[in-house]
Coordinates of all heavy atoms in Angstrom, one line a residue:
Chain B
L55 N 2.7 13.6 35.2 CA 1.9 12.4 35.5 C 2.4 11.6 36.6 O 1.9 10.9 37.4 CB 1.6 11.6 34.1 CG 0.6 10.5 34.3 CD1 -0.7 11.0 34.5 CD2 0.7 9.7 33.0
L56 N 3.9 11.5 36.5 CA 4.6 10.6 37.4 C 5.1 11.4 38.7 O 5.2 10.8 39.8 CB 5.8 10.1 36.7 CG 5.6 9.3 35.4 CD1 6.7 8.7 34.8 CD2 4.6 8.1 35.7
L57 N 5.4 12.7 38.5 CA 5.8 13.6 39.6 C 5.0 14.9 39.7 O 5.1 15.5 38.7 CB 7.3 13.9 39.4 CG 8.4 13.0 39.7 CD1 9.8 13.5 39.4 CD2 8.4 12.3 41.1
M58 N 4.5 15.1 40.8 CA 3.9 16.5 41.1 C 5.2 17.4 41.1 O 6.2 17.0 41.5 CB 3.1 16.6 42.3 CG 1.7 15.8 42.3 SD 0.6 16.4 40.9 CE -0.1 17.9 41.6
P59 N 4.9 18.7 40.7 CA 6.0 19.7 40.7 C 6.7 19.7 42.1 O 8.0 19.7 42.2 CB 5.4 20.9 40.5 CG 4.2 20.5 39.6 CD 3.7 19.3 40.1
N60 N 6.0 19.7 43.3 CA 6.6 19.6 44.5 C 7.4 18.5 44.8 O 8.4 18.3 45.5 CB 5.7 20.0 45.7 CG 4.5 19.0 45.8 OD1 4.6 18.0 45.2 ND2 3.5 19.2 46.6
E61 N 7.0 17.3 44.2 CA 7.8 16.0 44.4 C 9.1 16.1 43.6 O 10.2 15.7 44.1 CB 7.0 14.8 44.0 CG 5.8 14.5 44.8 CD 4.8 13.5 44.3 OE1 4.8 13.4 43.0 OE2 4.1 12.8 45.0
A62 N 9.0 16.7 42.4 CA 10.2 16.8 41.6 C 11.2 17.8 42.3 O 12.4 17.5 42.3 CB 9.7 17.4 40.3
L63 N 10.6 18.9 42.8 CA 11.4 19.8 43.5 C 12.1 19.1 44.8 O 13.4 19.3 44.8 CB 10.7 20.9 44.1 CG 11.3 22.1 44.8 CD1 12.3 22.8 43.7 CD2 10.3 23.1 45.3
A64 N 11.5 18.3 45.5 CA 12.1 17.6 46.7 C 13.2 16.7 46.1 O 14.3 16.7 46.7 CB 11.0 16.9 47.4
L65 N 12.9 16.0 45.1 CA 13.9 15.0 44.6 C 15.1 15.7 44.1 O 16.2 15.4 44.3 CB 13.3 14.2 43.3 CG 14.2 13.2 42.6 CD1 14.6 12.0 43.5 CD2 13.5 12.7 41.5
F66 N 14.9 16.9 43.4 CA 16.0 17.5 42.9 C 16.9 18.2 43.9 O 18.1 18.2 43.9 CB 15.5 18.7 41.9 CG 16.6 19.5 41.1 CD1 17.2 18.8 40.1 CD2 17.0 20.8 41.5 CE1 18.3 19.5 39.3 CE2 18.1 21.4 40.8 CZ 18.6 20.8 39.8
E67 N 16.2 18.7 44.9 CA 16.9 19.3 46.1 C 17.7 18.3 46.8 O 18.8 18.5 47.2 CB 15.9 20.0 47.1 CG 15.5 21.4 46.7 CD 14.4 22.0 47.5 OE1 13.7 21.2 48.1 OE2 14.4 23.3 47.5
K68 N 17.2 17.0 46.9 CA 17.9 16.0 47.5 C 19.2 15.6 46.7 O 20.3 15.5 47.2 CB 17.0 14.7 47.6 CG 17.3 13.8 48.7 CD 16.4 12.7 48.9 CE 16.9 11.4 48.8 NZ 16.0 10.3 48.6
Q69 N 19.0 15.6 45.4 CA 20.1 15.4 44.5 C 21.2 16.5 44.6 O 22.5 16.2 44.6 CB 19.8 15.1 43.1 CG 18.9 13.9 42.9 CD 18.3 13.6 41.6 OE1 18.4 14.6 40.6 NE2 17.9 12.4 41.2
L70 N 20.7 17.7 44.6 CA 21.6 18.9 44.8 C 22.4 18.7 46.1 O 23.7 18.9 46.1 CB 20.8 20.1 44.9 CG 20.8 21.0 43.6 CD1 20.0 22.2 43.9 CD2 22.2 21.3 43.1
A71 N 21.7 18.4 47.2 CA 22.4 18.4 48.5 C 23.5 17.1 48.6 O 24.5 17.4 49.2 CB 21.3 18.1 49.6
S72 N 23.2 16.2 47.9 CA 24.2 15.0 47.9 C 25.2 15.1 46.8 O 25.9 14.3 46.6 CB 23.4 13.7 47.9 OG 22.8 13.5 46.6
Y73 N 25.1 16.2 46.0 CA 26.0 16.2 44.9 C 27.5 16.5 45.4 O 27.7 17.5 46.2 CB 25.6 17.3 44.0 CG 26.7 17.7 42.9 CD1 27.0 16.8 41.8 CD2 27.5 18.8 43.0 CE1 28.1 17.1 41.1 CE2 28.5 19.2 42.1 CZ 28.8 18.2 41.0 OH 29.8 18.5 40.2
A74 N 28.3 15.6 45.0 CA 29.8 15.8 45.3 C 30.6 15.8 44.0 O 30.4 14.8 43.3 CB 30.2 14.8 46.2
P75 N 31.3 16.9 43.7 CA 32.1 16.8 42.5 C 33.1 15.7 42.5 O 33.7 15.5 43.6 CB 32.8 18.1 42.4 CG 32.6 18.9 43.7 CD 31.6 18.1 44.4
T76 N 33.2 15.0 41.4 CA 34.2 13.9 41.4 C 35.5 14.5 40.8 O 35.6 14.9 39.8 CB 33.8 12.7 40.5 OG1 33.1 13.3 39.2 CG2 32.8 11.9 41.1
T77 N 36.5 14.4 41.8 CA 37.7 15.2 41.5 C 38.5 14.5 40.3 O 39.2 15.1 39.6 CB 38.7 15.2 42.5 OG1 38.7 14.0 43.2 CG2 38.2 16.3 43.6
A78 N 38.4 13.2 40.1 CA 39.0 12.4 39.2 C 38.5 12.6 37.7 O 39.0 12.2 36.8 CB 38.9 11.0 39.5
R79 N 37.3 13.4 37.7 CA 36.7 13.4 36.4 C 37.7 14.1 35.4 O 38.1 15.0 35.5 CB 35.4 14.3 36.5 CG 34.8 14.4 35.1 CD 33.3 14.9 35.2 NE 33.1 14.9 33.7 CZ 32.6 14.0 33.0 NH1 32.4 12.7 33.6 NH2 32.3 14.1 31.7
Q80 N 37.7 13.2 34.2 CA 38.6 13.7 33.2 C 37.7 13.9 31.9 O 36.9 13.0 31.6 CB 39.6 12.7 32.8 CG 40.7 12.5 33.8 CD 41.7 13.6 33.7 OE1 42.2 14.0 32.7 NE2 41.9 14.2 34.9
Y81 N 37.8 15.2 31.4 CA 37.0 15.3 30.1 C 37.8 15.0 29.0 O 39.1 15.3 29.0 CB 36.5 16.6 30.2 CG 35.6 17.1 31.2 CD1 35.9 17.7 32.4 CD2 34.2 16.7 31.0 CE1 34.9 18.0 33.3 CE2 33.2 16.9 31.9 CZ 33.6 17.6 33.2 OH 32.7 17.7 34.2
S82 N 37.2 14.4 28.0 CA 38.1 14.1 26.8 C 38.5 15.2 26.1 O 37.9 16.4 26.2 CB 37.2 13.1 25.8 OG 36.1 13.8 25.5
E83 N 39.5 15.2 25.3 CA 40.1 16.2 24.5 C 39.9 15.9 23.0 O 39.9 14.7 22.7 CB 41.6 16.4 24.8 CG 41.9 16.9 26.1 CD 43.3 17.3 26.3 OE1 44.1 17.4 25.3 OE2 43.8 17.6 27.5
I84 N 39.7 16.9 22.1 CA 39.4 16.6 20.8 C 40.2 17.7 20.0 O 40.2 18.8 20.3 CB 37.9 16.6 20.5 CG1 37.6 16.1 19.1 CG2 37.2 17.8 20.8 CD1 36.2 15.7 18.8
E85 N 40.7 17.1 18.9 CA 41.4 18.0 17.8 C 40.5 18.2 16.8 O 40.1 17.1 16.1 CB 42.7 17.5 17.5 CG 43.8 17.7 18.6 CD 45.2 17.3 18.1 OE1 45.3 16.7 17.0 OE2 46.1 17.7 18.8
L86 N 40.2 19.4 16.3 CA 39.3 19.6 15.1 C 40.1 20.2 14.0 O 40.8 21.3 14.2 CB 38.2 20.6 15.4 CG 36.9 20.1 16.3 CD1 35.9 21.1 16.4 CD2 36.3 18.8 15.6
P87 N 40.2 19.5 12.9 CA 41.0 20.1 11.8 C 40.1 21.3 11.3 O 39.0 21.2 11.1 CB 40.9 18.9 10.8 CG 39.9 18.0 11.2 CD 39.6 18.2 12.6
V88 N 40.8 22.4 10.9 CA 40.2 23.6 10.4 C 41.0 24.0 9.2 O 42.2 24.3 9.2 CB 40.2 24.7 11.4 CG1 39.5 25.9 10.8 CG2 39.3 24.1 12.7
C89 N 40.2 24.4 8.1 CA 40.8 25.0 7.0 C 40.5 26.5 7.1 O 39.5 26.9 7.3 CB 40.2 24.4 5.7 SG 40.9 25.4 4.3
Y90 N 41.7 27.2 7.3 CA 41.6 28.7 7.4 C 41.6 29.4 6.0 O 42.1 30.6 6.0 CB 42.7 29.2 8.4 CG 42.6 28.7 9.7 CD1 43.2 27.5 10.2 CD2 41.8 29.3 10.7 CE1 43.1 27.1 11.5 CE2 41.6 28.9 11.9 CZ 42.3 27.8 12.4 OH 42.2 27.4 13.6
H91 N 41.5 28.8 4.9 CA 41.5 29.4 3.6 C 40.4 30.5 3.6 O 39.2 30.3 4.1 CB 41.1 28.4 2.5 CG 41.4 29.0 1.1 ND1 40.5 29.9 0.5 CD2 42.4 28.8 0.3 CE1 40.9 30.2 -0.7 NE2 42.1 29.6 -0.9
P92 N 40.8 31.8 3.1 CA 39.8 32.8 3.3 C 38.4 32.6 2.6 O 37.4 33.0 3.1 CB 40.5 34.0 2.4 CG 41.9 33.6 2.5 CD 42.0 32.2 2.5
D93 N 38.4 31.6 1.6 CA 37.1 31.2 1.0 C 36.2 30.6 2.2 O 34.9 30.8 2.0 CB 37.3 30.2 0.0 CG 37.9 30.8 -1.3 OD1 38.0 32.0 -1.3 OD2 38.2 30.1 -2.2
L94 N 36.8 29.9 3.1 CA 35.9 29.2 4.1 C 35.9 30.1 5.5 O 35.2 29.6 6.4 CB 36.5 27.8 4.4 CG 36.8 27.0 3.1 CD1 37.3 25.6 3.6 CD2 35.6 26.8 2.4
G95 N 36.6 31.2 5.4 CA 36.7 32.0 6.7 C 36.4 33.4 6.1 O 37.3 34.3 6.2
P96 N 35.3 33.8 5.8 CA 35.0 35.2 5.1 C 35.1 36.3 6.0 O 35.2 37.4 5.5 CB 33.5 35.0 4.5 CG 32.9 33.9 5.5 CD 34.0 33.0 5.7
D97 N 35.3 36.1 7.3 CA 35.3 37.3 8.2 C 36.8 37.4 8.9 O 36.8 38.0 9.9 CB 34.3 37.2 9.4 CG 32.9 37.1 8.7 OD1 32.5 37.9 7.8 OD2 32.1 36.3 9.0
Q98 N 37.6 36.8 8.2 CA 39.0 36.9 8.8 C 39.6 38.2 9.0 O 40.1 38.6 10.0 CB 40.0 36.0 8.0 CG 39.8 34.5 8.2 CD 40.7 33.6 7.3 OE1 41.5 34.2 6.5 NE2 40.7 32.3 7.4
E99 N 39.2 39.0 8.0 CA 39.8 40.4 8.1 C 39.2 41.2 9.2 O 39.9 41.8 10.0 CB 39.4 41.1 6.8 CG 40.6 41.3 5.7 CD 40.4 42.0 4.5 OE1 40.1 43.1 4.6 OE2 40.6 41.4 3.4

Side-chain angles (χ1 to χ4, degrees):
Chain B
L55 186 64
L56 305 176
L57 284 180
M58 287 301 282
N60 58 11
E61 292 168 334
L63 183 62
L65 177 68
F66 187 75
E67 278 175 335
K68 207 171 126 196
Q69 292 179 344
L70 257 184
S72 65
Y73 168 68
T76 44
T77 46
R79 178 160 177 88
Q80 289 288 312
Y81 293 98
S82 59
E83 294 189 7
I84 187 167
E85 286 190 343
L86 283 183
V88 178
C89 177
Y90 294 96
H91 190 284
D93 287 356
L94 306 182
D97 303 313
Q98 284 178 358
E99 256 182 61

